[in-house]
Amino acid sequence: MGSQGGWGQSKEFLDLVKSIGEARSKAEEDRIVLREIETLKRRISDPEVPKRKMKEYIIRLVYVEMLGHDASFGYIHAVKMAHDDSLLLKRTGYLAVTLFLDEDHDLIILIVNTIQKDLRSDNYLVVCAALNAVCRLINEETIPAVLPQVVELLAHPKEAVRKKAIMALHRFYQRSAHSVSHLISNFRKRLCDNDPGVMGATLCPLFDLVTGDVSSYKDLVVSFVSILKQVAERRLPKSYDYHQMPAPFIQIRLLKILALLGSGDKKSSESMYTVLGDVFRKGESSSNIGNAVLYECICCVSSIYPNQKLIDAAAEVTSRFLKSDSHNLKYMGIDALGRLIKINPDIAEEHQLAVIDCLEDPDDTLKRKTFELLQKMTKSSNVEVIVDRMIDYMISISDNHYKTEIASRCVELAEQFAPSNQWFIQTMNKVFEHAGDLVNAKVAHNLMRLIAEGFGEEDEGADNQLRSSAVESYLRIMGEPKLPSLFLQVICWVLGEYGTADGKFSASYITGKLCDVAEAHSNDDTVKAYAVTAIMKICAFEISAGRKVELLPECQSLIDELSASHSTDLQQRAYELQAVLGLNSHSVESIMPVDASCEDIEVDKSLSFVNNFVQQSLEKGARPYIPENERSAMLNVNNFRSQDQPGALTHGLRFEAYELAKPPPLVTRTPASFISSTDLVPVPESTYAKEIHQAPLPSPVPDIAPVEPGVKLRLEGVQKKWGRPTYSSPSAPSASTSGIQKTTNGITYGPETMSSQTRAVSYDSKKQHVEVSAEKQKLAASLFGGSSKHDKRPTSSHKAARTRPTSAEKLREATANTATEVTVEKIAPLQPPPDLLDLGGPIPEIAPSVDPFMQLEGLLGPTQGISSESTVSANASKPSDLMETLYAEMPSTGPSGTDMYSSSLNSGVPTNANKSSQMVAQIPSVKKGPNPRDSLQKDAVARQVGVTPTSQNPNLFSDLLG
Amino acid sequence: MIHFVLLISRQGKVRLTKWYSPYAQKERLKVIRELSGVILTRGPKLCNFVEWRGYKVVYKRYASLYFCMCIDQDDNELEILEIIHHFVEILDRYFGSVCELDLIFNFHKAYYILDEVLIAGELQESSKKTVARLIAAQDSLVETAKEEASSISNIIAQATK
């Protein structure tokens, strides 16, 4: 027990630690810490404090900060202490500073001087301490201050210093690559260092460098390969062995670098094959570290130019991982499988059961990893099963971060592989409904675009069907409470565009629904904006179809409400709607053409249509336009901005002044954004509208005003050109983009053009995939008798699987006296085998010549085969599984079990049985190097104390410290 | 790279924290709370890995102490597991069958050792012997410093008598 007293802390400090240890609640702990902070504040500011005392105070500060309290009042003292001459104090000072300060802290500037001095010290321990601090504290600005010294240290006689200097340079490289770009040759030089530790450390920066620029390091392949060979042949000193493996950490780093260098490079890869084969052969799968090396090997093999022999070896190791009992190895196996199937998708097939097991596993980590794998395995034949599973899981979790991720994965898969429009819409509905607030707005835009454009096939009918099924499902769903805002926006947009397109629903029905939405979400301006625009579109379509539009009373009241809204955007929309209602069918048709959201919008970036106007103005004596970059020098930008800022409201008056001084094209911008309002809105009440009307309209307005879908201003471009921020209030950016919709009847321009590119990409990949899956299906057909899997089959085979094993289970249950729960649990994992068909394709044992018609009759040939087979395998594996579940029951009763253990420890009656079970439960995976664990255990028992007192023994610490 | 190292007791008490990526104090508290909630409740047979905010956290339990390290998505989890073990072996060698109490009362020593094992979020030395030698060199200096101090104070004490 000597360890507490023997290290020279004062009684006071030990008491503090002790009382924290004994604290029963967080509140009590906080009280103690706050008291301690008060004491420290008082004492530390005393100028007479002896240095040794000060050192202890600093350590106490570290302790306080570690417990999550603010110790910033003492930072300056830590900095001072780092400046001390005594190494003892300096080390403490540096430790505290590196723990307290981040590289952006104000005090860094004070410590740089100290570091500079210490890097020059002749005591290598001082240099080491300084280098530790360098790695933590030097930021981009201060790198130049220490860089020359650090580079000098690369040639230091002590290997510990060289190593730390290398790591410091690595850190600099990460902080700002260009500051050390001229030093890269140094890394290459250090690779040949005599000390393996320095060489190993050099691999870290080299890995980063190679990641950044593969091609300039190809010449190092030979060196890396020969180093790896030497390491694998145990040429390094014994002290680098770890659990009988020769320098595994260095091996792993080398493999990582080789994976990068060999990727897509046949020649480099070929020089690696031999050594990789060696590593595979020597890899020990009995120890954890051996598996770590093997896993890295698999990663490397799957990244470099493929070699069949190595891939076979990798596949074999992977299957060993997957078959292992250890969850860790299964996890790694799933990951490895995901890498290997990129090279050869068939590898997955023999592991279908293992994959399904992992998917069903209660361990979330494993489950998520498996989803990742499934995503890579998805093709159009199994997308339904996979996405359904993902969505189920998505609904069940509460971790927002992962929810977002899995939602976007679902969307991605659905977009890529959707087998039918119906399914696609339904899937998207589910995703939006459950994770709508988490998905990226881009996803919603994609969905709108997809509905607008259809699936890209020539078949217009299918697209229409997609739209009407979307409309129907949205009408069904939109009444539900708590729909995410983004989803509602999509719904409103789609209803506006296509609500009345197929004539199934009347305009008044749709507008009624839209009014309900706007009303139910009265505090969400964006949704309201979408809704009112949708209403306008519906009305416009009605008018242009020659039907008379009568607004519902609730609709009218909505418009009235919005015209008095605080949001100018909503106001404008409301006025525009009213304006549209007052127009004749011909002009409405030209403003709002039906289903024109996909029409291309020609953008005249050079604004040639204002040339005429510019010419006129110039002739009248206006000053010529000066590009912004030249202008800023001669014109006070701020002044210019502030004049213009009130923008929308005062522009009408500004036009007069323009003649004198303003650059002419500025004017054209104004009409651009207000085309609709100036031209169309005959509302006399609104002040700003009135002003605009009073204003003499400049000539270009009429030019643009006949709003043909073809000629429109691209607001983005214009804004950029004149260097103006935006017109709309920053709070509603999406609203402002949809404001553009009004004039163009389309989706926003930016995303439109951009996403059509991404879409093209996704089409390409889709095409590719179709080819692959066609190939796979052929293979499946040859093995399976041409069973194509996705439609009704999964469900029927589900049933088959469900009923059959149950009876089998029942029998077993009777004989085996198993608890029913267990059986039920076991059935659940049995269901998936039918999904297997979808997952991986064929199971080779099945006879290929099964009549497809036979398959459709109830219990299908192959399914039967599979289900019985899987029952058998399940049966075979079951006893052991049962054992496991029973066995697992003990530890997994969890806290109580372990509590028992610790309390028995505390009361000093350790029982052997408990101990051993604890041991087994704790670290089952590692068999080697048991010392620390054992000794921790032994030690604990020997001391007969729990480290943290439990309620049974609160006075533990006083006993201990006597 | 390793973003941070946490040592948490089974009761959720923090025994050591080392941050290699910048986290504000408030954030650190949140991270610790969140992770101890996730890790301490995990069953014994599950993976030693947890996916968390786009990172992975690898943890390992020794007696009542959890050693956790947060790493990037593409790092090798098994390797990190062994780095943890490597660290524990060095602690064990240093303290002579280490126990949680050693770490509680000598947390600053644990920090010194950690600084020799990891630097800037990477493993800097995989030889236990080298680390032990370096730590011993630092400690011996400390010892002599201490002796000097006490002898000086003795002299002063005698002189003032």
Side-chain angles (χ1 to χ4, degrees), chain A residues 3-4 7 9 13-14 17 20-21 23 29 52 59 62-63 65-69 87-88 91-92 95 98-99 102 123-125 132 135-136 159-160 163-164 167 170-171 197 204 239-240 242-243 249 252-253 256 288-289 291-292 295-296 327-329 331-332 363 365 368-369 372 401-402 884 888 891 898-899 902 918 921-923 926 928-929 931-933 935-936 939 943 945 947-948 957 960, chain B residues 1 9-11 13-25 28-29 32 42 44-54 56 60-64 73-79 81-83 85-86 88-89 92 94-95 97-102 104-109 111-112 115-116 119-130 133-135 137-139 141-142 145-146 149:
Chain A
S3 61
Q4 297 95 319
W7 303 93
Q9 291 107 340
F13 178 50
L14 295 181
V17 175
I20 294 279
E29 186 187 306
R52 290 214 38 205
I59 290 179
V62 171
Y63 189 66
E65 180 115 341
M66 190 173 85
L67 292 176
H69 293 263
L87 174 62
L88 175 65
R91 201 158 74 117
T92 311
L95 175 71
T98 51
L99 289 170
D102 266 331
N123 185 342
Y124 80 100
L125 291 175
N132 273 347
C135 287
R136 180 82 185 93
E159 63 277 352
K163 196 173 56 193
K164 283 184 199 283
M167 298 307 279
H170 179 210
R171 188 68 171 179
C204 294
S239 69
Y240 283 87
Y242 180 83
H243 297 183
F249 298 108
I252 288 173
R253 273 186 202 155
K256 272 188 180 156
N288 196 38
I289 189 67
N291 286 324
Y295 165 78
E296 207 56 59
H327 271 66
N328 288 349
L329 288 184
Y331 177 93
M332 300 315 269
D363 186 350
T365 310
R368 290 175 187 189
K369 196 78 196 169
E372 229 170 84
H401 187 277
Y402 193 72
E884 266 168 34
T898 31
D899 267 344
S902 61
Q918 169 95 346
Q922 264 173 28
I923 316 119
V926 184
K928 302 211 166 134
N931 303 352
R933 174 177 81 241
S935 46
L936 272 172
D939 195 58
R943 283 161 200 264
V945 289
V947 174
T948 31
F957 272 78
L960 246 178
Chain B
M1 71 174 273
S9 79
R10 207 164 52 82
Q11 285 83 2
K13 299 205 172 184
V14 180
R15 297 300 182 208
L16 186 146
T17 58
K18 180 87 184 175
W19 309 84
Y20 294 104
S21 297
Y23 287 86
Q25 182 75 358
R28 293 179 181 184
L29 280 178
I32 293 170
R42 277 175 73 82
K45 285 204 77 186
L46 306 183
C47 291
N48 290 60
F49 324 128
V50 179
E51 287 187 20
W52 172 81
R53 295 201 202 163
K56 289 185 292 200
K60 193 161 180 183
R61 180 178 167 172
Y62 292 89
S64 55
Q73 270 303 335
D74 49 357
D75 282 329
N76 183 338
E77 292 91 339
L78 292 178
E79 184 198 3
L81 218 46
E82 289 312 297
I83 290 179
H85 193 72
H86 179 62
V88 173
E89 281 184 354
D92 190 60
Y94 181 77
F95 286 104
S97 51
V98 67
C99 74
E100 198 179 342
L101 276 177
D102 291 325
I104 293 175
F105 286 102
N106 297 291
F107 61 92
H108 55 293
K109 304 269 175 191
Y111 276 120
Y112 290 136
D115 275 346
E116 297 306 325
I119 193 166
E122 304 278 358
L123 181 71
Q124 65 163 320
E125 184 54 73
S126 57
S127 156
K128 270 167 275 188
K129 216 164 153 194
T130 313
R133 219 185 304 136
L134 207 59
I135 295 282
Q138 291 170 358
D139 274 355
L141 259 175
V142 172
K146 229 185 270 174

Side-chain angles (χ1 to χ4, degrees), chain A residues 426-738:
Chain A
Q426 272 168 7
T427 308
M428 295 307 280
N429 286 355
K430 267 192 237 163
V431 172
F432 272 108
E433 210 177 321
H434 296 285
D437 286 328
L438 301 171
V439 295
N440 195 325
K442 231 168 95 191
V443 173
H445 290 222
N446 276 353
L447 176 60
M448 290 191 257
R449 200 196 55 239
L450 207 72
I451 292 174
E453 292 180 353
F455 272 91
E457 286 114 42
E458 291 307 297
D459 182 9
E460 188 60 28
D463 290 349
N464 283 335
Q465 204 193 339
L466 166 75
R467 289 165 195 158
S468 54
S469 70
V471 168
E472 267 174 58
S473 67
Y474 289 159
L475 283 174
R476 209 167 37 241
I477 231 171
M478 71 193 297
E480 280 176 29
K482 284 198 202 152
L483 288 179
S485 165
L486 201 58
F487 189 34
L488 284 167
Q489 292 165 25
V490 174
I491 291 178
C492 289
W493 189 84
V494 170
L495 288 185
E497 282 287 328
Y498 304 110
T500 53
D502 60 356
K504 232 187 239 175
F505 303 99
S506 73
S508 61
Y509 177 71
I510 303 269
T511 45
K513 283 279 192 184
L514 287 168
C515 286
D516 292 346
V517 169
E519 213 170 298
H521 300 82
S522 52
N523 45 9
D524 187 340
D525 276 1
T526 319
V527 168
K528 274 201 281 191
Y530 267 87
V532 74
T533 305
I535 293 174
M536 176 164 70
K537 278 189 231 168
I538 301 267
C539 295
F541 299 156
E542 286 298 292
I543 293 172
S544 51
R547 286 187 285 268
K548 199 167 151 34
V549 177
E550 290 219 7
L551 279 188
L552 302 166
E554 68 249 42
C555 195
Q556 190 60 53
S557 68
L558 175 73
I559 293 171
D560 290 345
E561 181 206 318
L562 292 187
S563 359
S565 164
H566 286 300
S567 151
T568 45
D569 178 63
L570 287 179
Q571 250 185 37
Q572 190 184 335
R573 282 162 200 267
Y575 284 123
E576 281 169 9
L577 170 53
Q578 280 171 330
V580 166
L581 291 177
L583 291 174
N584 63 25
S585 73
H586 180 68
S587 40
V588 167
E589 199 166 1
S590 57
I591 311 169
M592 288 267 179
V594 177
D595 190 18
S597 59
C598 308
E599 305 289 314
D600 283 336
I601 293 147
E602 281 174 36
V603 177
D604 186 356
K605 279 190 189 165
S606 64
L607 304 181
S608 60
F609 51 87
V610 297
N611 282 349
N612 205 5
F613 174 71
V614 171
Q615 199 57 42
Q616 272 177 26
S617 307
L618 284 175
E619 275 162 18
K620 279 184 205 159
R623 283 206 271 158
Y625 172 68
I626 306 156
E628 192 186 26
N629 45 1
E630 293 166 35
R631 179 178 18 155
S632 55
M634 41 204 299
L635 196 76
N636 183 341
V637 178
N638 274 341
N639 190 14
F640 164 74
R641 288 250 166 94
S642 65
Q643 269 183 4
D644 249 27
Q645 210 51 348
L649 296 182
T650 53
H651 260 152
L653 299 171
R654 288 277 159 214
F655 291 129
E656 306 287 323
Y658 144 76
E659 300 273 333
L660 297 170
K662 284 270 173 83
L666 221 53
V667 176
T668 61
R669 174 177 36 73
T670 316
S673 69
F674 279 92
I675 294 167
S676 41
S677 45
T678 47
D679 209 24
L680 301 176
V681 181
V683 184
E685 293 307 315
S686 144
T687 46
Y688 81 84
K690 212 195 277 177
E691 274 167 278
I692 289 165
H693 271 268
Q694 284 164 355
L697 288 172
S699 54
V701 174
D703 288 345
I704 316 163
V707 200
E708 305 153 18
V711 189
K712 257 150 231 167
L713 275 182
R714 203 177 77 150
L715 293 185
E716 270 185 357
V718 177
Q719 281 170 358
K720 230 186 229 159
K721 208 156 189 163
W722 313 126
R724 290 262 299 177
T726 44
Y727 287 103
S728 59
S729 62
S731 63
S734 58
S736 79
T737 43
S738 53

Side-chain angles (χ1 to χ4, degrees), chain A residues 232-429:
Chain A
E233 287 170 359
R234 297 180 182 272
R235 302 264 191 83
L236 290 192
K238 260 276 182 241
S239 69
Y240 283 87
D241 280 11
Y242 180 83
H243 297 183
Q244 281 88 50
M245 285 285 287
F249 298 108
I250 293 179
Q251 284 194 43
I252 288 173
R253 273 186 202 155
L254 283 166
L255 286 168
K256 272 188 180 156
I257 296 177
L258 288 181
L260 289 175
L261 286 171
S263 168
D265 180 347
K266 192 171 175 194
K267 200 168 140 267
S268 306
S269 302
E270 273 166 357
S271 56
M272 303 172 193
Y273 290 156
T274 331
V275 73
L276 288 178
D278 281 356
V279 176
F280 261 126
R281 241 191 336 279
K282 291 185 180 156
E284 231 185 292
S285 56
S286 57
S287 70
N288 196 38
I289 189 67
N291 286 324
V293 173
L294 284 174
Y295 165 78
E296 207 56 59
C297 237
I298 298 174
C299 295
C300 183
V301 164
S302 58
S303 159
I304 63 174
Y305 190 85
N307 169 286
Q308 195 50 47
K309 240 167 87 190
L310 288 176
I311 291 173
D312 290 345
E316 197 208 308
V317 175
T318 306
S319 74
R320 217 160 41 202
F321 282 176
L322 284 170
K323 280 173 196 149
S324 153
D325 281 339
S326 150
H327 271 66
N328 288 349
L329 288 184
K330 274 190 196 162
Y331 177 93
M332 300 315 269
I334 293 280
D335 187 90
L337 193 58
R339 291 169 190 272
L340 287 176
I341 56 168
K342 275 187 206 147
I343 303 171
N344 180 4
D346 298 337
I347 293 175
E349 264 150 39
E350 62 167 305
H351 301 299
Q352 291 168 9
L353 268 177
V355 171
I356 294 298
D357 276 348
C358 292
L359 194 61
E360 300 287 332
D361 201 275
D363 186 350
D364 261 359
T365 310
L366 196 53
K367 206 178 256 183
R368 290 175 187 189
K369 196 78 196 169
T370 315
F371 276 126
E372 229 170 84
L373 172 70
L374 288 184
Q375 193 193 2
K376 292 180 191 149
M377 289 168 60
T378 308
K379 42 190 187 276
S380 49
S381 58
N382 58 18
V383 64
E384 290 172 74
V385 188
I386 290 177
V387 171
D388 282 354
R389 287 236 171 206
M390 282 186 173
I391 290 177
D392 285 348
Y393 182 64
M394 183 185 82
I395 295 170
S396 72
I397 57 174
S398 57
D399 168 3
N400 274 355
H401 187 277
Y402 193 72
K403 218 172 189 171
T404 315
E405 204 178 305
I406 201 166
S408 60
R409 275 190 207 160
C410 287
V411 172
E412 201 182 300
L413 289 180
E415 278 181 7
Q416 229 177 328
F417 300 111
S420 72
N421 298 339
Q422 204 92 21
W423 178 85
F424 178 74
I425 297 286
Q426 272 168 7
T427 308
M428 295 307 280
N429 286 355

Side-chain angles (χ1 to χ4, degrees), chain A residues 746-763:
Chain A
I747 321 174
T748 52
Y749 308 84
E752 176 91 24
T753 44
M754 201 183 65
S755 46
S756 63
Q757 280 167 7
T758 50
R759 205 171 145 70
V761 173
S762 78
Y763 278 145

Side-chain angles (χ1 to χ4, degrees), chain A residues 328 331 365, chain B residues 1-6 8 19 23 31-32 34-36 38-40 42 47-60 66-73 75-77 80-81 84:
Chain A
N328 288 349
Y331 177 93
T365 310
Chain B
M1 71 174 273
I2 298 164
H3 294 282
F4 54 79
V5 178
L6 296 181
I8 312 174
W19 309 84
Y23 287 86
V31 167
I32 293 170
E34 222 173 278
L35 280 180
S36 48
V38 174
I39 288 171
L40 300 182
R42 277 175 73 82
C47 291
N48 290 60
F49 324 128
V50 179
E51 287 187 20
W52 172 81
R53 295 201 202 163
Y55 297 105
K56 289 185 292 200
V57 176
V58 177
Y59 69 93
K60 193 161 180 183
Y66 285 84
F67 288 68
C68 318
M69 290 188 183
C70 172
I71 52 170
D72 285 323
Q73 270 303 335
D75 282 329
N76 183 338
E77 292 91 339
I80 303 297
L81 218 46
I84 292 177

